[in-house]
Amino acid sequence: MRTPSRPRARRTALVAGISALALALAACGDGGGGGGGGGGGDLTAPGPEVLDDLDAPVQVEFWHSMDSTNGQVLNSLIAGFNAENEGRIEVSGSFQGDYDTTLAQHRAAIQQGDTANLIMIYDLGTQFMIDSAQTVPAQSFVDLDDYDLDPLEDALLNYFTVDGDLRSFPFNNSTPLMYINRDAFEEAGLDPDQPPRDLAEIREYAEALTVRGADGKVEQYGFGAAVYGWFVEQFMARAAAPYCDAGNGREGRATEVLFDDPKIVEMVEWWQQMIDDGLAVQIGRSTDDAQAAFTSGRAAMTLESTGSLGGFLEQSDFEVGAGYFPLIDADDPGGSIIGGASLWINGEGHSEQEIRASWEFVQYLLTPESQSRWHAGTGYLSVNTDGYDGPEAKERAEQYPQFSVAAGQLADSETNINTAGCMMGVMAEARVAAEEGWENALTSDTPAQEAMTSAAESVKRTIGEYNDSVGD
């Protein structure tokens, strides 16, 4: 899922700060190893016995990025856990701002030696969290308690597993989908239950959906979506193409990004032709503008996160439909990369009681009962697939069957290196660079291949500086 907001100046500053911190950690001998690995050190999970004979409830400070409705749902889960563990564990949720801000706050807390017990970190921060060597690897808890991972969504475990070990626990996760205006489809004589599956079909449908007035001006475009770097990652995974080298950064440190792949060049050229032919509205990188174009009826098809479905349903005057995120070509194998965030239990500087208490809370959040309420209340995926059978989730699915599309897309996704996504310390900057190259091709005379290759080259130095800073 996209971050709550993503100002690029702050994103670039964030990456620079991450590199600076990694350098400080490496100088102290705390840096992680290669292969996407490292981190954890001697930090291991304590057993349940550390919570025996407590004199007072163990306090767990939980930093997160959930506000508004999502925050209310999370607070209700916290309250439920505290009620069940009264006198034993007390969790205090603390909203830190959007994903970028939360990671920046955590970075500062590491430098000050005062981290929260539990923290929500978005997917792009995964490699940094490993390299910072502050957390107890999730695998340590799984192994100690023989915790059953089978009910958890395979695609999510695939992303957060590095060097064969689960590093953090998936929680607020999503995947992008194709959204359609079902009313517009019916008016154009198209079947809304069969959304387009690849770029060629999107164009075919867009030709039927685009409506022009008597003056020739477009009143409704067939397609319109943001130039969003996450979509590049998704298109590459669905085409079985790695986003970065070294096995998507999971067989060694990534040294370059590969988003100038012929598949992505093909996608950018297709996008440009759609705009030139008046079949797609040119939106740029603003996801807010893309959402508004869809909900206002200006674009009959769009691409967005599952996290946007609730807003689309509330804000649109037409019936909203959903389908799988499209393939570039019909014969691409498919797959899906997740977005959103995961939960990391800090170990450095925290007592065994606090570490164990944090794990007890995480287990509560991952139960089918909690996940049913979380999915129904927020639209995020149910990390525990049994959560879809809960009463809240079932009621939501009956009312809004569109929510089941995301679960189906993940269930149909192969779990491999490509769908695991790139593991790299500067993923944030790489995503911005991909957007810049893509947008450059759409708004200038620069050929798509040249624009994407130049963008990929621009990331090499930053990758090298980060890798050097952590000793690899």
Side-chain angles (χ1 to χ4, degrees):
M1 180 181 190
R2 74 179 191 281
T3 57
S5 64
R6 47 191 185 95
R8 290 168 183 79
R10 187 170 67 205
R11 176 69 55 82
T12 301
L14 171 65
V15 173
I18 289 174
S19 295
L21 176 58
L23 180 60
L25 290 173
C28 295
D30 292 330
D42 295 327
L43 297 172
T44 56
E49 68 279 357
V50 301
L51 296 181
D52 293 342
D53 303 321
L54 296 172
D55 294 328
V58 179
Q59 301 296 315
V60 173
E61 184 179 16
F62 173 31
W63 284 8
H64 62 81
S65 298
M66 298 290 99
D67 61 354
S68 303
T69 299
N70 294 349
Q72 293 172 10
V73 177
L74 181 57
N75 286 336
S76 71
L77 291 175
I78 293 173
F81 175 82
N82 286 342
E84 289 186 14
N85 290 273
E86 186 174 0
R88 181 169 175 262
I89 303 171
E90 184 175 3
V91 177
S92 300
S94 178
F95 173 69
Q96 296 296 305
D98 64 25
Y99 290 144
D100 288 334
T101 302
T102 299
L103 182 53
Q105 295 280 71
H106 177 59
R107 196 175 69 239
I110 292 175
Q111 293 171 316
Q112 297 164 6
D114 187 23
T115 59
N117 303 103
L118 179 67
I119 186 166
M120 175 186 291
I121 295 293
Y122 70 153
D123 51 347
L124 300 191
T126 300
Q127 184 64 64
F128 167 72
M129 291 298 290
I130 293 172
D131 290 335
S132 67
Q134 298 290 304
T135 63
V136 179
Q139 192 69 47
S140 182
F141 296 100
V142 172
D143 292 344
L144 178 70
D145 286 13
D146 196 22
Y147 182 75
D148 186 9
L149 293 175
D150 286 346
L152 304 192
E153 178 61 61
D154 285 343
L156 302 180
L157 297 176
N158 188 40
Y159 187 94
F160 296 109
T161 296
V162 181
D163 288 344
D165 289 338
L166 185 66
R167 305 312 300 249
S168 59
F169 294 98
F171 177 61
N172 49 307
N173 301 108
S174 61
T175 186
L177 298 174
M178 160 77 74
Y179 290 100
I180 66 168
N181 180 331
R182 290 181 61 92
D183 295 357
F185 266 55
E186 291 176 352
E187 291 172 8
L190 301 172
D191 184 356
D193 292 323
Q194 298 294 327
R197 295 164 295 181
D198 55 60
L199 298 188
E201 286 193 352
I202 292 178
R203 182 180 176 90
E204 178 185 342
Y205 281 51
E207 289 172 347
L209 290 163
T210 298
V211 177
R212 291 178 170 83
D215 59 357
K217 186 177 181 180
V218 177
E219 297 176 351
Q220 174 183 279
Y221 288 90
F223 177 77
V227 174
Y228 184 18
W230 187 34
F231 298 158
V232 172
E233 297 159 43
Q234 196 70 218
F235 277 121
M236 295 187 76
R238 292 179 71 70
Y243 185 87
C244 59
D245 67 344
N248 248 348
R250 293 170 183 271
E251 297 172 352
R253 289 283 181 184
T255 61
E256 62 179 341
V257 290
L258 306 173
F259 54 61
D260 56 343
D261 184 272
K263 282 285 189 178
I264 296 303
V265 172
E266 178 185 347
M267 181 275 291
V268 173
E269 290 174 341
W270 172 90
W271 205 285
Q272 179 65 72
Q273 195 63 53
M274 288 282 288
I275 293 171
D276 291 346
D277 294 344
L279 300 175
V281 56
Q282 180 153 305
I283 291 172
R285 290 191 271 172
S286 171
T287 50
D288 288 342
D289 289 349
Q291 291 173 18
F294 179 68
T295 57
S296 68
R298 184 164 173 75
M301 296 182 287
T302 194
L303 307 176
E304 248 299 357
S305 163
T306 51
S308 297
L309 178 52
F312 282 168
L313 293 171
E314 294 173 2
Q315 299 165 22
S316 303
D317 293 330
F318 51 83
E319 187 176 358
V320 176
Y324 286 10
F325 191 90
L327 304 170
I328 295 176
D329 296 303
D331 58 354
D332 287 344
S336 183
I337 286 183
I338 59 91
S342 62
L343 304 178
W344 299 77
I345 297 175
N346 280 308
E348 190 70 33
H350 297 285
S351 70
E352 289 187 328
Q353 289 76 18
E354 292 168 340
I355 295 170
R356 183 70 199 190
S358 298
W359 167 227
E360 295 291 327
F361 175 55
V362 170
Q363 290 181 81
Y364 175 86
L365 293 178
L366 299 182
T367 61
E369 296 77 15
S370 293
Q371 284 296 301
S372 176
R373 299 200 299 274
W374 177 246
H375 167 69
T378 66
Y380 281 108
L381 298 165
S382 177
V383 171
N384 188 321
T385 56
D386 291 339
Y388 292 119
D389 295 326
E392 301 88 353
K394 281 187 172 180
E395 181 180 354
R396 180 82 174 216
E398 290 175 2
Q399 185 177 6
Y400 302 115
Q402 302 94 330
F403 278 98
S404 65
V405 176
Q409 178 171 281
L410 283 180
D412 290 343
S413 177
E414 293 186 11
T415 55
N416 52 45
I417 284 179
N418 296 317
T419 57
C422 173
M423 190 63 57
M424 188 170 61
V426 293
M427 272 300 296
E429 183 149 316
R431 184 175 286 182
V432 171
E435 293 174 357
E436 290 173 343
W438 183 0
E439 189 172 51
N440 182 30
L442 299 182
T443 59
S444 73
D445 295 330
T446 306
Q449 182 69 69
E450 180 182 338
M452 298 310 294
T453 296
S454 177
E457 289 289 333
S458 73
V459 187
K460 275 189 176 181
R461 179 177 177 180
T462 305
I463 297 174
E465 289 175 347
Y466 182 90
N467 290 347
D468 289 344
S469 73
V470 294
D472 288 357

